[in-house]
Amino acid sequence: MGGVTSSVAARLAFFPPSPPSYELVRDAATGLTMLNRFPHRENVEVMTLQTRRGNEIVAVYVRNPMASSTLLYSHGNAADLGQMYELFVELAIHLRVNLMGYDYSGYGQSSGKPSEQNTYADIEAAYKCLEENYGAKEEDIILYGQSVGSGPTLELAARLPRLRAVVLHSPILSGVRVMYPVKRTYWFDIYKNIDKIPFVNCPVLVIHGTADEVVDCSHGKQLWELCKEKYEPLWLKGGNHCNLELFPEYIRHLKKFINTVEKSSSQRNIWRKSMDQFEPSRRSTDCFEPSRRSFDYREKPRYITEKGKNNDYRSGNLEKVEKLRISFDRLDKSRRSVDCLEKSRKNTDTMERARKSVDRLDRIWAGRKPSH
């Protein structure tokens, strides 16, 4: 029973777009690597990173010259960088952060196959890149995990005591708990977030839609209850699993959270500097060698079964991702200031119509009240 359940949980966890939504191309004039769907931007870098498990993953770094924080974004289970690219650019602008997003092994143009352990190695590679290539410090980094991305996010956050903050977007308690309302954690479960969240020492923001039919809102609420350092959660009424970014409250609450942790971090850093003189400095990447034993879960071989049954799940999930991708394509037309965004309508009942109209989506992001 355990092996079958673990296999099913793994199958439900990973749905890389097939074919991938992008290809990597090299500009002949500059020698820069780019995603073929998007023109070169001066503030965006595309790169490949080697993981400790031997895979090569694709990552995107968006630079904001006004940033004092860096967001490391782990996306959901049925998207890749081609579908997330424009959202990443918009978040970097509106939140005034640097942002790194990456594809898991087996996603997009990343090599290897998706698995729980591979995603842990993937986020470590992205984190090390931020430290070593961009000079980001642990205390300036915010980990952002969406859906299945909450797994690698909390695995890493539980081992980094000086993180600035964590954002959990439609998170899961664990893989098995998405399928069954079990009360205990089993050895064959994957992404045991419920057991890791108590070890996270920084402020945590949880965002979840109340109408989420993929991962019930109770997952987000229980994780929030288990947080050491809780921040006011955002329960988006009527929000489902793939449309929370379209609610005006989403960007407003997220920006407020980042502003808050940036202010509190400055005070915390003063205290830390006074304490550092009493103990030798420690590189945050030391936490990767060796990994914390209590979180060193090893995967058992997982075999795919019940193919026909899960194809229905996959097609439904990909349909949701396609709707989300269309929304991302529209975001590039919305270059407005965050101050205007604060005046957006609070009536979320118009969100469904907004997703079907480019003009209506532009008005929501720009803060203009749409006419009827």
Side-chain angles (χ1 to χ4, degrees):
M1 174 63 181
V4 173
T5 304
S6 181
S7 176
V8 173
R11 290 182 57 209
L12 294 182
F14 306 113
F15 297 98
S18 182
S21 70
Y22 70 94
E23 294 179 1
L24 292 179
V25 295
R26 187 173 296 275
D27 185 87
T30 63
L32 297 174
T33 301
M34 301 186 300
L35 305 189
N36 66 322
R37 291 177 49 195
F38 307 101
H40 172 65
R41 295 176 184 268
E42 291 296 330
N43 67 321
V44 177
E45 297 178 50
V46 180
M47 69 208 77
T48 57
L49 307 172
Q50 293 291 331
T51 78
R52 59 177 169 80
R53 291 174 67 87
N55 295 322
E56 185 176 77
I57 63 171
V58 182
V60 172
Y61 182 78
V62 186
R63 189 188 307 273
N64 187 321
M66 304 295 293
S68 59
S69 296
T70 298
L71 201 71
L72 177 51
Y73 196 116
S74 300
H75 62 64
N77 69 337
D80 62 21
L81 285 181
Q83 297 169 336
M84 302 298 294
Y85 180 91
E86 290 186 315
L87 176 64
F88 289 167
V89 172
E90 290 299 321
L91 289 177
I93 292 172
H94 290 291
L95 300 176
R96 295 185 181 180
V97 296
N98 300 315
L99 188 149
M100 173 168 278
Y102 65 98
D103 264 341
Y104 309 123
S105 297
Y107 276 69
Q109 298 301 325
S110 296
S111 68
K113 295 182 179 180
S115 72
E116 179 187 16
Q117 294 301 320
N118 275 343
T119 61
Y120 295 159
D122 299 338
I123 194 172
E124 287 178 12
Y127 179 84
K128 285 185 177 181
C129 176
L130 287 177
E131 282 199 325
E132 297 172 4
N133 296 359
Y134 296 101
K137 298 179 180 179
E138 179 182 335
E139 52 266 30
D140 296 331
I141 293 176
I142 299 172
L143 299 185
Y144 189 117
Q146 178 180 6
S147 188
V148 163
S150 61
T153 291
L154 287 177
E155 167 71 15
L156 182 58
R159 294 188 274 124
L160 295 176
R162 295 190 174 192
L163 274 178
R164 174 159 286 182
V166 167
V167 179
L168 300 177
H169 176 148
S170 306
I172 64 174
L173 286 167
S174 72
V176 169
R177 286 176 173 87
V178 175
M179 300 182 294
Y180 308 112
V182 296
K183 301 299 183 183
R184 54 169 292 188
T185 298
Y186 295 91
W187 64 266
F188 51 79
D189 203 350
I190 64 173
Y191 295 128
K192 304 170 186 177
N193 293 339
I194 189 173
D195 298 330
K196 300 175 186 179
I197 189 71
F199 295 94
V200 176
N201 294 318
C202 61
V204 178
L205 166 63
V206 180
I207 304 172
H208 217 121
T210 62
D212 193 327
E213 296 180 351
V214 178
V215 179
D216 190 80
C217 190
S218 60
H219 286 245
K221 290 182 176 179
Q222 190 169 345
L223 285 173
W224 181 79
E225 289 290 346
L226 294 170
C227 289
K228 273 185 182 178
E229 195 169 338
K230 300 177 177 66
Y231 184 83
E232 179 187 0
L234 180 59
W235 314 126
L236 286 168
K237 185 177 181 180
N240 62 41
H241 197 64
C242 293
N243 71 345
L244 303 189
E245 300 90 342
L246 303 181
F247 286 73
E249 298 94 323
Y250 166 82
I251 194 72
R252 187 163 58 238
H253 199 81
L254 189 53
K255 182 172 178 59
K256 178 183 175 183
F257 173 67
I258 291 175
N259 288 341
T260 300
V261 296
E262 286 179 344
K263 292 177 182 177
S264 62
S265 291
S266 63
Q267 297 298 320
R268 190 179 299 124
N269 288 339
I270 294 174
W271 177 82
R272 281 173 177 164
K273 286 180 181 179
S274 67
M275 294 299 294
D276 284 344
Q277 60 182 313
F278 300 110
E279 59 178 342
S281 60
R282 176 180 179 271
R283 292 192 312 121
S284 61
T285 50
D286 291 345
C287 68
F288 302 141
E289 306 121 0
S291 298
R292 187 186 185 108
R293 185 176 64 179
S294 60
F295 301 131
D296 192 19
Y297 304 113
R298 292 290 179 262
E299 290 183 307
K300 305 297 180 182
R302 298 191 177 98
Y303 303 96
I304 296 179
T305 57
E306 301 178 346
K307 182 175 181 180
K309 181 178 178 181
N310 279 277
N311 279 341
D312 294 337
Y313 180 93
R314 177 172 184 168
S315 61
N317 208 348
L318 291 179
E319 181 181 353
K320 293 180 180 180
V321 170
E322 179 62 18
K323 292 179 181 178
L324 185 58
R325 185 190 66 76
I326 293 172
S327 298
F328 293 155
D329 292 341
R330 297 168 182 165
L331 291 178
D332 200 42
K333 302 178 181 179
S334 64
R335 308 230 182 255
R336 301 292 190 270
S337 69
V338 178
D339 293 337
C340 293
L341 183 64
E342 297 297 320
K343 302 176 183 177
S344 298
R345 295 185 63 183
K346 295 183 179 179
N347 184 3
T348 58
D349 291 337
T350 62
M351 287 298 102
E352 187 65 25
R353 294 195 300 272
R355 286 190 295 143
K356 299 178 181 177
S357 166
V358 173
D359 294 337
R360 186 66 60 84
L361 181 60
D362 287 342
R363 293 187 185 114
I364 290 173
W365 274 86
R368 297 196 297 269
K369 184 175 181 180
S371 58
H372 294 279

